[in-house]
Amino acid sequence: MRFTKSLLPTLREDPADAEAVSHRLMLRAGLVRQLAAGVFVWLPFGQRVLDKVNTIIRDEMNGIGGQEITMPVVHPAEIWQKSGRWDGIPEMFKLRDRHGRDLCLGMTHEEVVAWLAAREIRSYRDLPQIWYQIQTKERDEARPRSGVLRTREFLMKDSYTLDPDEASLDRSYAAHEAAYRRIFERCGLRFHVVQSDTGMMGGHSAHEFMAPSAAGEDEVAMCAQCGYAANVELARSVPPAPEFPSSRREEVATPGARTIAEVAALLKIDPRLTIKSLLYVAPTAGPVLVLVRGDHSLHERKLMRAVGEECRAAHPDEVREHLGAPVGSVGPLGTRVPVVADETLREGTYVVGANREGFHVRGVVPGRDFECRFADLHTAVAGEACVQCGGALAVERVIEIGNIFKLGTKFAEALGATYLDEAGKERPIVMGSYGIGPARIAAAAIEQGADRDGIVWPPAIAPFDVHVVLVGSRDTQQAKAAEEIYAACRRSGLDALLDDRDERPGVKFKDADLLGVPVRVTVGNALAKEGVVEVRSRRTRAETKVPPDAVVEAARRCLAS
C-alpha cells in the first residue's frame, strides 16, 4: 500500500471532543471518521485492523467446530414478542414497514437462531451445533461516547451453541471460553475473565472478558489471593465493620443535616454507623425503600436482581408522598413500603432518618426495629475482603471485549426449538450465546499500548507489518532502494506500507509513530554514506542498521521479539 495512493488522512492535533486515548488516536491516525453520534465510517487503515482481528476470530471459531452464517439485521417483531423481549429494552431500534408491520433492528440474534433451529433441527443426531456470524448490530445507545467503545452501530462476532442437555452446554461453554482466551492472547491484549450479570440475555451463568484500561466504563473486583473475579455489578465483598456503640434507641435533632457526611459530623460518629435510605420505584412492585451503610454506594443492577425488575430513583415529591418526609430525613421506621437492606446491615446498631425533617434516630437495629429483606446491594470497593478467602479485593477499570452466556432453554421454549431424544421424546434445545466486539479489541489494544507519540499495535492485528519511510523522495538511489524493499516485503508475505510522499522527513516520522506499525524501515542518507537502512521497533524504539537486502530478515526478527 502506497501512502500517495491511499486514504490515510492523519491529523496533527487531538480532536476537541475526543476524550478516550483510543478515540483521539483513531481519529488522528485516520482509522475512523464520525458520521453521527455513535456512528462511524471505518477508513482503509482501520478496516485492515478489523480484518486482522476477524481473521483470528474466524480461525479460532472454526477450530472449535463453528460454522459461519449470516443473519439479517432487520427482524420481525413476532420473534421478539414470543421471547418476551419486545417490550422493556429501550435501546432497541423499532420501526414499521409500509404495510404497518412492526420490525426492529437486531442488537443480538438469539431469537433468530432459535427460529432457525426450530426449522432445521429434528433429532439428537443433529446436535450439538455451533453457529456464528460477524455482523452489524444496531443499538439506540442513549449516551454514545468514547469513540468506538460505546456506539449505536457496531460489528460483533456472535456465536450460538445448540446442545441436547446441560452437560453438553457445559462443554460448549468451556470450548468457547478457551477459544476466547486464545483470541485475546493472539490479539496481544491483557485481560481478565470475570463473573457477570446475565442481564437482558437471561440464563443462569455468564462471564465477561475484560481488558484493563482507564477508558473502560466497567469495573471488576479481583482477589489476587484466591483468583476470585467479578464485575462490580455482581461482585460480593465483606467490608470492615465499625465499632458499634451500646446506645439506646432515641430520637435526636439534626437541624440542617441532610447528607450522611453532615449527619455524621453533627453527631460526631463514624459514617459507617449510619444507614443511607433511598426510595426507588419499580413498575410492578411499586415503591421500595433501599438501605445501604452510610459509607457505601448502591449498585442499581444488584437492586434490580433483588426486586426482580428495573427500578428508578423516586422523585422528591414521591419521597414525601410515600414516607412523609423530604429526602435526607427518611428512614425505615414505621414505613409502609417494603424495605430491602444490604447484607452488611445484618449486624450492628445504626442511625437512621426519623421520617420527619430535622431529626434522626440512633440505636436502631435492622430486623429488630423494622422488618426488612436482606440482599447484596452495595458496590464492592478496593480494600474490602474477598467473600471466598478473606483477602483484600482490588478494583480495576476495564473495557468489556467479550462475553459468554449459558441461556438454557428460555429461547428454545419460546420459539419452539425442540429435538427428539433417543427415546423419541420431544425436548427443548439448550442454548448458549457468545459475543466479541472486534472494534473494542482494536480500541483496547490502542488503550493498552499507546505512548506519547501515538499507537503501538500488537503485531498480530497491526494494519501493516512494515512501514517503509522514504526520506528523500527526489533522491533516485533512495527511491529505488525503498521500492525494492517494499517489493521484497510483499513477496515474503509481510504487509508493507510505503510512505512515498513528497513531505519533510519530520512529518513522515511523526506519522509513522502515530500510525504505530510495528517495524519502521527508514531509507535515508545512511544509504549513500554506509550502504545501510535503519530498522526500528515501534514498541521498544531499538534500531539496527542493515543492508537493503537484509531488511526482510531483520523485520521478521523485530516482529518476533
Side-chain angles (χ1 to χ4, degrees):
M1 186 170 176
R2 299 172 183 274
F3 225 118
T4 54
K5 304 294 184 182
S6 306
L7 179 60
L8 277 175
T10 58
L11 305 174
R12 298 274 77 80
E13 303 295 331
D14 287 337
D17 59 345
E19 297 179 359
V21 170
S22 57
H23 190 191
R24 295 199 304 269
L25 291 178
M26 281 182 145
L27 290 172
R28 285 190 54 204
L31 273 71
V32 297
R33 287 293 181 262
Q34 185 168 318
L35 176 64
V39 181
F40 288 84
V41 177
W42 284 80
L43 303 185
F45 200 78
Q47 186 61 47
R48 292 181 69 91
V49 176
L50 288 183
D51 290 345
K52 294 284 186 73
V53 171
N54 290 341
T55 296
I56 292 172
I57 290 173
R58 284 190 170 97
D59 186 40
E60 294 297 342
M61 290 307 304
N62 294 341
I64 61 171
Q67 304 165 82
E68 186 169 6
I69 62 176
T70 299
M71 291 177 278
V73 175
V74 178
H75 301 178
E78 289 84 353
I79 59 173
W80 287 78
Q81 290 164 347
K82 286 182 178 179
S83 73
R85 296 202 296 178
W86 179 254
D87 298 311
I89 303 179
E91 295 84 8
M92 182 188 292
F93 279 107
K94 296 180 180 179
L95 64 152
R96 285 183 175 170
D97 65 15
R98 67 183 66 194
H99 304 293
R101 289 185 289 251
D102 287 322
L103 305 166
C104 70
L105 301 182
M107 54 194 297
T108 184
H109 281 71
E110 285 76 21
E111 283 81 359
V112 178
V113 168
W115 174 90
L116 183 61
R119 285 152 180 78
E120 303 302 330
I121 303 298
R122 295 286 179 267
S123 162
Y124 69 94
R125 295 186 181 87
D126 299 328
L127 299 173
Q129 294 274 338
I130 301 176
W131 301 340
Y132 80 94
Q133 65 174 351
I134 299 176
Q135 175 64 293
T136 300
K137 308 286 186 175
E138 307 289 347
R139 178 186 176 94
D140 191 7
E141 178 60 54
R143 294 176 297 277
R145 56 188 181 273
S146 301
V148 301
L149 290 176
R150 183 171 286 274
T151 59
R152 306 181 88 190
E153 179 175 281
F154 53 94
L155 193 67
M156 177 183 282
K157 187 291 299 177
D158 49 324
S159 57
Y160 303 87
T161 54
L162 308 172
D163 287 287
D165 51 40
E166 290 288 339
S168 182
L169 171 61
D170 289 344
R171 291 190 290 271
S172 296
Y173 195 83
H176 269 81
E177 181 179 345
Y180 274 33
R181 288 179 182 273
R182 292 190 295 271
I183 288 168
F184 298 130
E185 287 167 359
R186 288 177 62 180
C187 289
L189 298 183
R190 303 188 308 277
F191 64 93
H192 307 299
V193 185
V194 305
Q195 298 174 24
S196 66
D197 184 30
T198 56
M200 73 168 187
M201 304 294 286
H204 51 82
S205 183
H207 288 80
E208 291 170 325
F209 294 76
M210 301 294 210
S213 168
E217 294 183 324
D218 288 292
E219 288 185 325
V220 296
M222 297 172 293
C223 177
Q225 192 165 301
C226 72
Y228 173 76
N231 191 308
V232 292
E233 67 186 14
L234 198 69
R236 298 176 65 88
S237 65
V238 182
E243 287 191 22
F244 293 105
S246 55
S247 56
R248 62 185 177 86
R249 178 173 158 178
E250 62 176 342
E251 191 173 80
V252 292
T254 51
R258 300 176 62 81
T259 67
I260 292 294
E262 290 168 347
V263 171
L266 184 64
L267 299 181
K268 296 181 173 57
I269 61 172
D270 187 331
R272 294 180 297 174
L273 298 174
T274 67
I275 288 179
K276 191 183 299 182
S277 301
L278 307 165
L279 187 67
Y280 274 74
V281 179
T284 303
V288 57
L289 189 62
V290 184
L291 309 182
V292 293
R293 206 169 72 178
D295 62 321
H296 279 152
S297 297
L298 168 70
H299 200 296
E300 293 188 346
R301 295 294 296 178
K302 290 187 173 184
L303 174 61
M304 185 205 74
R305 285 195 299 275
V307 175
E309 57 183 326
E310 294 278 359
C311 302
R312 63 168 176 82
H315 304 306
D317 58 336
E318 292 175 313
V319 174
R320 277 191 177 275
E321 176 190 349
H322 293 292
L323 301 175
V327 175
S329 298
V330 299
L333 298 176
T335 181
R336 296 180 181 178
V337 303
V339 179
V340 182
D342 184 52
E343 292 278 5
T344 306
L345 303 176
R346 283 185 181 273
E347 304 290 337
T349 305
Y350 297 91
V351 172
V352 302
N355 285 325
R356 70 186 184 108
E357 192 166 5
F359 289 89
H360 281 71
V361 180
R362 75 165 93 222
V364 174
V365 178
R368 183 196 71 182
D369 296 320
F370 61 88
E371 292 184 0
C372 65
R373 177 165 61 91
F374 290 100
D376 176 42
L377 299 174
H378 75 276
T379 303
V381 297
E384 293 181 340
C386 171
V387 292
Q388 293 187 170
C389 72
L393 290 177
V395 175
E396 190 169 16
R397 189 163 287 277
V398 291
I399 297 170
E400 181 186 348
I401 51 177
N403 50 53
I404 54 179
F405 299 89
K406 290 183 180 180
L407 300 176
T409 60
K410 170 185 174 180
F411 294 95
E413 290 175 350
L415 276 297
T418 62
Y419 72 97
L420 296 178
D421 67 12
E422 294 183 48
K425 184 177 180 180
E426 189 175 61
R427 297 186 182 277
I429 295 171
V430 183
M431 290 176 57
S433 176
Y434 316 82
I436 281 181
R440 282 175 167 255
I441 290 177
I446 294 173
E447 292 284 343
Q448 291 185 347
D451 61 17
R452 66 181 183 276
D453 295 319
I455 300 170
V456 182
W457 289 111
I461 63 171
F464 297 95
D465 301 311
V466 178
H467 188 160
V468 181
V469 177
L470 171 57
V471 173
S473 58
R474 300 180 185 180
D475 184 301
T476 305
Q477 183 186 13
Q478 289 184 26
K480 181 181 178 183
E483 290 285 353
E484 290 174 349
I485 291 169
Y486 174 62
C489 286
R490 298 182 69 191
R491 284 196 305 272
S492 69
L494 294 175
D495 285 331
L497 171 66
L498 173 61
D499 191 344
D500 55 347
R501 294 174 295 172
D502 186 13
E503 275 284 5
R504 299 188 308 277
V507 172
K508 293 186 175 186
F509 292 145
K510 280 189 174 296
D511 277 345
D513 283 340
L514 173 62
L515 295 174
V517 174
V519 179
R520 188 181 85 195
V521 178
T522 303
V523 183
N525 293 331
L527 181 64
K529 295 179 180 178
E530 307 170 51
V532 296
V533 297
E534 296 172 355
V535 178
R536 185 176 193 260
S537 166
R538 176 66 182 88
R539 185 174 296 277
T540 67
R541 299 176 184 270
E543 289 186 2
T544 57
K545 294 183 177 180
V546 300
D549 59 4
V551 164
V552 170
E553 183 182 348
R556 290 196 182 281
R557 287 197 303 268
C558 190
L559 288 167
S561 65

